[in-house]
Amino acid sequence: MSKARAERDTVVPALGEIFREHGFEGASLSVITEKTGLGKGSLYHFFPGGKEEMATIVLVEIDTWFQVNVYQPLRDSDDPKAGIDHMFTAVEEYFRAGRRVCLVGVFALDNTRDRFASAVKSYFADWAKALTQALKRCGHDGAKAKALTEDILGGIQGGLVLARALDDPAVFTRTLKRLRENLG
Amino acid sequence: MSKARAERDTVVPALGEIFREHGFEGASLSVITEKTGLGKGSLYHFFPGGKEEMATIVLVEIDTWFQVNVYQPLRDSDDPKAGIDHMFTAVEEYFRAGRRVCLVGVFALDNTRDRFASAVKSYFADWAKALTQALKRCGHDGAKAKALTEDILGGIQGGLVLARALDDPAVFTRTLKRLRENLG
DNA sequence: GTCTATAAAGCGATAGAC
DNA sequence: GTCTATCGCTTTATAGAC
């Protein structure tokens, strides 16, 4: 089981890219088979729950990544400004400078939304909470910190949508730069 | 033909809501039949090209609406500030104060993207061009006008994603308010 | 113009041999 | 653990009666 688990985990990143690229509905088993090189037999061996389990595990992996690389630094950094700087750097890398969309954003907009509603909601809620707290520690009052948080999280998602729609990743990096500078 | 055309056009808004709610892949003919009350026979009579034609016509309708209600006022208003104010008001109504997502944004993120790439691209490109021009007429230099345009269009899209993800439409209206105030 | 019936293909998922 | 074969269902789309 532990071995199967380890084997399974190596496929999860590839599954993430597939869901990002095709959405939940569009990621058919034939596409998944093709891109991962795993046959249906293997896929259902690793993920008895089928596509839904695959997507759930991908969402868990994403949550873990953001907890470790974004939320924790925001919460725990002695210097809250450094935590925020680290967030912007991590986000720019994670979204490959605008060439990669946000899977949670994709799931939020399409009809997959209801299926994974709680994971989608807590992704943004956790992020917002950690960022607001860091902004308060930087000296902003509660209302300002909340407003800045919405501007930053919304700006990131919107920048990704625009970058993809216009087929111009630089829109995203420019947006990140302005959001960063806007904090002074 | 003109009669069929008129009859057809009455269904287009309903199709728009269906694609918004379910995405392109998720909007199956059975869903469309149920929500519009039209049988498959009627649907293929009005839209011989099937789903793809339905979505194409919906995108044309959206483009027309934004041309008339957003881009033209931005371009033609004697007072560019009034044109921008009008844009924010129209956008808040159009997206039902955060309860309605942007179909073009939905199509931009999922795998439908490639299918309707040019319509998706020109939706944002036309909007950006008109808004940048209006901002320049307000006195902003070219670089500032371009930056503000990206912040505003991205902010709108991001606000819609966040509102949907958090199941809290007010996130969108607060974002719009700040974008508006940010212009002074 | 709208209906029913149906075709052809793809879907997620399962079973069983190996 | 991976394969092939197959089930049952849904999908888009078409045909033809009315």
Side-chain angles (χ1 to χ4, degrees):
Chain A
M1 166 168 170
S2 154
K3 196 173 180 180
R5 176 70 170 267
E7 183 69 18
R8 191 189 69 175
D9 287 352
T10 65
V11 203
V12 174
L15 290 175
E17 297 309 317
I18 294 168
F19 285 126
R20 248 180 269 274
E21 205 60 27
H22 297 270
F24 184 76
E25 309 265 353
S28 69
L29 284 183
S30 65
V31 169
I32 296 173
T33 297
E34 184 199 339
K35 301 267 179 186
T36 61
L38 293 174
K40 289 183 189 179
S42 306
L43 285 172
Y44 277 93
H45 175 74
F46 292 131
F47 309 95
K51 266 177 71 173
E52 184 133 358
E53 185 176 355
M54 298 180 205
T56 300
I57 293 178
V58 166
L59 286 170
V60 167
E61 194 220 30
I62 289 173
D63 182 65
T64 303
W65 194 93
F66 274 83
Q67 291 286 349
V68 171
N69 295 90
V70 178
Y71 313 157
Q72 286 291 347
L74 281 174
R75 279 192 283 258
D76 300 344
S77 177
D78 287 338
D79 175 8
K81 187 79 186 64
I84 293 170
D85 269 344
H86 179 271
M87 175 191 80
F88 279 114
T89 304
V91 161
E92 181 159 0
E93 274 181 38
Y94 185 83
F95 293 115
R96 308 270 161 78
R99 281 180 293 274
R100 197 193 204 192
V101 295
C102 177
L103 177 60
V104 187
V106 171
F107 278 15
L109 282 190
D110 76 4
N111 59 326
T112 312
R113 174 179 1 110
D114 299 326
R115 218 179 209 135
F116 305 105
S118 79
V120 166
K121 196 168 185 168
S122 58
Y123 171 82
F124 288 110
D126 290 354
W127 192 346
K129 196 174 170 188
L131 179 54
T132 300
Q133 191 216 49
L135 287 165
K136 281 183 188 167
R137 290 202 289 138
C138 281
H140 296 288
D141 68 45
K144 180 69 178 172
K146 202 173 166 235
L148 281 170
T149 295
E150 286 181 0
D151 284 341
I152 291 168
L153 295 199
I156 289 169
Q157 292 299 311
L160 290 171
V161 172
L162 280 189
R164 181 56 63 114
L166 292 168
D167 194 25
D168 179 10
V171 175
F172 177 67
T173 54
R174 286 196 296 265
T175 300
L176 274 191
K177 189 157 177 280
R178 287 192 302 272
L179 290 170
R180 213 166 185 156
E181 290 168 352
N182 187 37
L183 294 176
Chain B
M1 164 162 168
S2 154
K3 196 173 180 182
R5 175 69 171 269
E7 182 71 15
R8 192 190 68 172
D9 287 352
T10 64
V11 204
V12 175
L15 290 175
E17 297 310 317
I18 294 168
F19 284 126
R20 248 180 269 275
E21 205 59 29
H22 297 269
F24 184 77
E25 310 265 353
S28 67
L29 285 183
S30 66
V31 168
I32 296 173
T33 298
E34 185 199 339
K35 301 269 179 185
T36 61
L38 292 176
K40 291 182 191 180
S42 306
L43 286 172
Y44 277 94
H45 175 73
F46 291 130
F47 308 95
K51 267 177 69 174
E52 184 133 359
E53 185 175 356
M54 298 181 206
T56 300
I57 293 177
V58 166
L59 286 171
V60 167
E61 194 221 29
I62 290 173
D63 181 64
T64 303
W65 193 93
F66 275 82
Q67 291 287 348
V68 171
N69 295 90
V70 178
Y71 313 158
Q72 286 292 347
L74 281 174
R75 280 193 281 258
D76 299 345
S77 178
D78 286 339
D79 176 7
K81 187 81 186 65
I84 293 171
D85 269 343
H86 180 270
M87 174 190 81
F88 279 114
T89 303
V91 162
E92 181 158 0
E93 275 181 38
Y94 184 83
F95 293 115
R96 308 269 160 79
R99 281 181 294 273
R100 196 193 206 195
V101 295
C102 176
L103 177 60
V104 187
V106 172
F107 278 14
L109 281 190
D110 76 4
N111 59 325
T112 313
R113 171 178 5 110
D114 298 326
R115 217 180 209 130
F116 304 105
S118 79
V120 166
K121 195 168 184 169
S122 59
Y123 171 82
F124 288 110
D126 290 354
W127 192 346
K129 196 175 171 187
L131 179 54
T132 299
Q133 191 216 47
L135 287 166
K136 281 183 188 167
R137 289 203 290 139
C138 282
H140 296 288
D141 68 44
K144 179 72 177 170
K146 202 173 165 234
L148 282 170
T149 294
E150 285 181 0
D151 285 341
I152 291 168
L153 295 200
I156 289 169
Q157 293 298 311
L160 291 171
V161 172
L162 279 189
R164 179 56 62 115
L166 292 168
D167 195 24
D168 180 10
V171 175
F172 177 66
T173 54
R174 286 196 297 266
T175 300
L176 274 191
K177 189 157 176 283
R178 287 192 302 274
L179 290 170
R180 213 167 184 154
E181 289 168 352
N182 187 38
L183 293 177

